[in-house]
């Protein structure tokens, strides 16, 4: 059963899956359906998405965020999207860091860089590179002017960069607290009313913390 996020400029639902209780987001504007960070149980995700997935966004390379990506791609034909930095590890082209848990490598069909506008359906998402948790972690932001509900709040998909009341760990290989601080400063300039969709903790943050 999916949970619904209220008051956003695009419809957002999510499942809580896996041992680490990952939030797997399903976002659709009626023309295209996005799944964010499929950790496990691809069939359950497909069912929750209404049987169709057009794009799979991977916010970073950790196994609990990409574990079901390959199977979900195979079952739906969805386009897999990740940062140019983390993509080689996700696809298996580059060796997995020693402290990462193993996962089935998944081809990355489209790589993004900082500042790119990623249009899925009629939804234009701005890519914000936010290293700190991993070298190539990304957040994605959409302005209400371009959402299906212009009266709703802006949305930030934050992966494991920003949680409700906390931030992502930086003690894994590839983590960097100084980089995390710089990333958080970038997010702090987003509108105060932005709804943050974090990778864990079930709790959806109703605003971006100020600098």
């Amino acid at each position: 059963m999916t949970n619904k996020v209220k008051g956003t400029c695009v419809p957002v639902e999510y499942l809580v899956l896996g041992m680490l209780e990952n939030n797997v987001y399903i976002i659709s504007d009626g023309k295209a359906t996005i799944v964010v960070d499929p950790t496990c149980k691809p069939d359950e995700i497909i069912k929750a998405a209404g049987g169709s997935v057009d794009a799979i966004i991977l916010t970073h390379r950790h196994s609990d965020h990409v574990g079901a990506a390959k199977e979900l791609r195979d079952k739906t034909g969805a386009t897999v999207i990740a940062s140019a930095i983390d993509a080689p590890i996700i696809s298996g082209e580059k060796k997995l860091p020693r402290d990462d848990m193993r996962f089935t490598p998944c081809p990355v069909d489209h790589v993004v860089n900082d500042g790119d506008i990623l249009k899925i359906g009629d939804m234009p998402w701005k890519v914000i590179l936010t290293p700190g948790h991993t070298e190539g972690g990304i957040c994605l932001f959409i302005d209400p002017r371009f959402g299906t509900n212009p009266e709703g709040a802006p949305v930030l998909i934050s992966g494991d960069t920003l949680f409700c009341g906390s931030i992502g760990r930086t003690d894994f290989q590839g983590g960097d607290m100084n980089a995390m601080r710089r990333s958080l400063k970038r997010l702090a300039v987003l509108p105060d009313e932005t709804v943050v969709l974090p990778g864990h903790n079930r709790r959806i943050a109703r605003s971006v913390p100020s600098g």
Side-chain angles (χ1 to χ4, degrees), residues 9-136:
C9 66
V10 289
V12 179
E13 299 184 9
Y14 67 101
L15 298 164
V16 180
L17 298 175
M19 292 187 298
L20 298 180
E21 295 193 332
N22 287 69
N23 296 329
V24 178
Y25 294 100
I26 300 167
I27 303 171
S28 178
D29 67 349
K31 289 190 175 181
T33 299
I34 302 167
V35 168
V36 180
D37 290 350
T39 180
C40 61
K41 300 184 178 179
D43 291 333
E44 187 172 336
I45 294 171
I46 294 168
K47 182 178 178 181
S52 177
V53 178
D54 299 286
I56 300 166
I57 295 175
L58 306 176
T59 62
H60 62 288
R61 60 174 167 76
H62 286 155
S63 61
D64 58 315
H65 291 258
V66 306
K70 173 65 163 58
E71 192 171 353
L72 188 62
R73 178 182 184 267
D74 289 347
K75 288 175 178 286
T76 65
T79 298
V80 175
I81 301 160
S83 76
I85 297 171
D86 276 2
I89 293 177
I90 293 169
S91 67
E93 297 172 31
K94 189 174 178 181
K95 187 177 179 181
L96 197 68
R98 64 179 182 275
D99 60 355
D100 276 13
M101 292 181 64
R102 294 186 179 278
F103 57 85
T104 302
C106 177
V108 176
D109 304 295
H110 182 72
V111 298
V112 293
N113 294 284
D114 186 49
D116 286 353
I117 301 298
L118 181 62
K119 190 168 184 181
I120 305 173
D122 286 335
M123 298 176 285
W125 294 86
K126 182 177 180 179
V127 177
I128 306 171
L129 183 65
T130 52
H133 185 64
T134 69
E135 305 94 328

